[in-house]
Amino acid sequence: MKAGFVNIFGKPNAGKSTLLNALLGEKLAIISSKVQTTRHRIKGILTTKEYQLIISDTPGIIEPKYKLHEKMMRAVKEALEDADVAILLHDLTDKDTSESHGIFAALTLKVPVLVICNKTDKVGKERTAAAISFFKQQSYCTDAIAIAAIKSHQTDELLKKLTDLLPEGQPFFAEDDITDLPVRFFVGEMIREKIYELYEEEIPYHTTVLVQEFKEKSTLVKIQADIIVQRDTQKGIILGEKGQGIKALGMAARAEIEKFLGQKIFLELFVKVKPKWRDNDIHLKEYGYH
Ligand SMILES: Nc1nc2c(ncn2[C@@H]2O[C@H](COP(=O)(O)OP(=O)(O)OP(=O)(O)O)[C@@H](O)[C@H]2O)c(=O)[nH]1
Ligand SMILES: [Mg+2]
């Protein structure tokens, strides 16, 4: 039996969460076209008769500007420390490899590293070939492969390479576990995903979601969540004219959560203003950013 931690790193928006979902074959991590969507380390567990892969999605690597960012980068650091195999994800739609290369070289990883060039569906063959050849020459790179995570293209090939690099060992988790995080966490994430989808500019970045109640009743699950923003004006934008904004958000989030739980839910959302929560240790802890 082989077992170990495969941790994914890269710039914001490279497709790390999309890759985690593609490898797991189900949607666990939230995705958006905006940068800085993922704020936590999210472990997805893939167990077969031959191996157990514990795959970690991490926040995109950035220079921290406020305390929330520092917590996000701490999640990256933790994942750097326990990786058995590291995936460094490069976005082929970037104009060249230099930004990714700068980040990858600075990580100074001591474990096997697979550099994955993602989004082959968006670029020409020449750019893909040039990126692969560039990364294969780097000292940190054990092997490089090109994929389109969104289409699960080449992900079987990738799984084969990953399992080859995995150490021998016994499973860390039960065979039917798919993650180490509670359902409540994913409920909050799905609401956050819809905020990234439905609101523009600074709104998603000033917002977090706190699931206050998750009660399984006989016919449905009752969920109450707070949407936390930093300013009154942001509360107004979330609510929208005559409450149309929050209504649309509630409907979109409910559909997503029902699909995830396979069960009907009753979802109640409140918007609360907590000035400067992103820089406040007590609030950050309360909202799950440890
Ligand atoms: N065309 C194309 N788009 C992709 C591919 N993989 C991911 N994307 C898109 O890239 C965007 C970012 O994807 P995410 O998976 O959220 O990226 P991330 O690296 O997790 O981003 P952060 O959490 O912000 O660090 C989304 O719009 C995805 O649909 C791919 O293979 N091809
Ligand atoms: Mg992500």
Side-chain angles (χ1 to χ4, degrees):
M1 185 89 185
K2 288 183 150 196
F5 289 81
V6 173
N7 304 344
I8 309 173
F9 307 96
K11 279 175 52 187
N13 227 39
K16 297 176 295 300
S17 302
T18 307
L19 175 59
L20 172 73
N21 294 344
L23 290 171
L24 291 178
E26 65 188 288
K27 187 172 169 188
L28 193 61
I30 61 167
I31 313 285
S32 94
S33 58
K34 298 186 172 76
V35 296
Q36 295 177 37
T37 306
T38 306
R39 293 179 181 165
H40 297 84
R41 175 181 185 177
I42 296 165
K43 293 188 195 113
I45 304 158
L46 189 62
T47 309
T48 69
K49 284 199 173 63
E50 291 85 36
Y51 61 81
Q52 181 171 78
L53 277 178
I54 301 130
I55 309 161
S56 290
D57 179 19
T58 64
I61 297 174
I62 48 167
E63 207 49 65
K65 294 203 171 68
Y66 38 88
K67 273 192 184 158
L68 170 64
H69 278 162
E70 288 171 19
K71 306 274 178 202
M72 287 158 62
M73 292 311 102
R74 204 168 296 173
V76 173
K77 189 161 179 279
E78 184 199 289
L80 283 168
E81 280 161 10
D82 68 22
D84 293 303
V85 179
I87 290 179
L88 305 184
L89 197 62
H90 168 65
D91 186 339
L92 286 164
T93 67
D94 283 0
K95 71 175 193 313
D96 59 37
T97 51
S98 61
E99 250 191 286
S100 288
H101 172 64
I103 291 173
F104 298 169
L107 295 176
T108 60
L109 282 151
K110 292 184 183 67
V111 292
V113 166
L114 272 181
V115 176
I116 300 182
C117 298
N118 188 30
K119 310 192 186 179
T120 51
D121 57 310
K122 279 278 186 187
V123 300
K125 286 201 168 67
E126 303 72 36
R127 188 188 287 203
T128 303
I132 291 287
S133 124
F134 172 81
F135 285 117
K136 279 193 170 166
Q137 287 165 36
Q138 305 310 317
S139 56
Y140 53 77
C141 175
T142 310
D143 200 356
I145 177 175
I147 66 164
I150 208 168
K151 300 187 166 168
S152 294
H153 187 239
Q154 287 291 90
T155 45
D156 283 345
E157 184 76 19
L158 169 59
L159 267 179
K160 166 102 185 42
K161 285 188 189 286
L162 286 173
T163 48
D164 284 348
L165 294 170
L166 215 58
E168 305 273 333
Q170 289 308 305
F172 295 81
F173 293 90
E175 65 181 305
D176 53 357
D177 284 354
I178 63 155
T179 182
D180 64 334
L181 289 162
V183 171
R184 257 177 119 100
F185 168 80
F186 292 101
V187 168
E189 288 289 274
M190 284 178 264
I191 299 168
R192 230 164 45 71
E193 180 180 66
K194 298 305 159 196
I195 295 171
Y196 273 70
E197 221 168 271
L198 296 173
Y199 297 95
E200 294 307 321
E201 293 167 18
E202 91 283 8
I203 295 293
Y205 303 100
H206 288 251
T207 305
T208 194
V209 173
L210 184 60
V211 177
Q212 295 281 22
E213 189 186 339
F214 184 94
K215 255 199 210 127
E216 295 186 56
K217 308 231 173 184
S218 52
T219 54
L220 50 63
V221 183
K222 180 169 184 288
I223 298 168
Q224 193 265 300
D226 290 344
I227 296 169
I228 318 280
V229 292
Q230 301 211 104
R231 293 198 268 275
D232 276 326
T233 48
Q234 293 160 352
K235 178 173 174 172
I237 293 170
I238 298 268
L239 293 173
E241 212 171 310
K242 294 189 186 137
Q244 290 301 311
I246 190 120
K247 194 172 163 199
L249 172 61
M251 279 166 57
R254 182 167 53 117
E256 189 76 20
I257 297 165
E258 286 184 343
K259 199 160 68 180
F260 182 76
L261 298 177
Q263 216 177 345
K264 287 268 171 237
I265 66 159
F266 173 76
L267 178 64
E268 198 173 22
L269 298 174
F270 297 118
V271 187
K272 294 190 176 157
V273 180
K274 299 281 175 188
K276 300 201 169 93
W277 69 263
R278 295 186 311 189
D279 260 312
N280 180 313
D281 278 321
I282 296 166
H283 286 328
L284 285 166
K285 199 166 171 205
E286 185 189 350
Y287 306 151
Y289 301 103
H290 298 297

